[in-house]
Amino acid sequence: MGQFDVHRNIGKQSVAIPFVVVVQSSLFDRYRRRVVVPLVRKSALEATAESCGSRMNPRFLVEGIEVMLHPLEIVSISVDRLGERVASLSEQGAAIADALDELFTRSWS
């Protein structure tokens, strides 16, 4: 389980949120939990995301499904609650880190 690995969502909201992406550093792999951010179907989040801007909600294509990162729903889940690994977004890691930075950094403007 690497940082930016995408796993199938096996939870109740899997229709709207088909995947989650692990954002936790591998420094904490010894823990039995992972910090993940939902990858929400673009059609389910698009109207809300427009107000946040594209930096906060980067878009990705996973298994042919257009999804958007939704950092406001970040969560820690048990490793045994992660579905199968289906992809990696490591090449887009900077966009994911930028979105998290947008969420956690103070805005002085």
Side-chain angles (χ1 to χ4, degrees):
M1 254 172 258
Q3 187 175 38
F4 308 125
D5 278 356
V6 176
H7 292 264
R8 196 169 311 283
N9 180 8
I10 59 173
K12 295 176 185 174
Q13 296 182 337
S14 62
V15 173
I17 305 169
F19 311 106
V20 296
V21 61
V22 175
V23 295
Q24 176 175 311
S25 167
S26 61
L27 292 173
F28 306 104
D29 280 354
R30 296 171 86 179
Y31 291 95
R32 297 290 306 151
R33 299 187 69 78
R34 295 294 180 268
V35 177
V36 300
V37 176
L39 293 172
V40 180
R41 284 183 188 272
K42 182 182 168 198
S43 58
L45 185 62
E46 197 163 29
T48 306
E50 294 298 321
S51 63
C52 294
S54 60
R55 183 174 183 220
M56 181 76 159
N57 301 104
R59 297 168 185 190
F60 307 102
L61 189 63
V62 178
E63 292 192 331
I65 301 170
E66 289 185 272
V67 292
M68 298 174 76
L69 189 75
H70 193 20
L72 291 172
E73 297 291 332
I74 194 168
V75 67
S76 169
I77 64 172
S78 176
V79 170
D80 62 346
R81 294 296 303 150
L82 281 175
E84 75 174 298
R85 180 189 176 279
V86 296
S88 173
L89 293 176
S90 61
E91 290 186 13
Q92 293 87 9
I96 295 168
D98 284 348
L100 295 174
D101 185 52
E102 184 82 5
L103 176 66
F104 294 123
T105 302
R106 288 183 172 187
S107 174
W108 298 103
S109 54

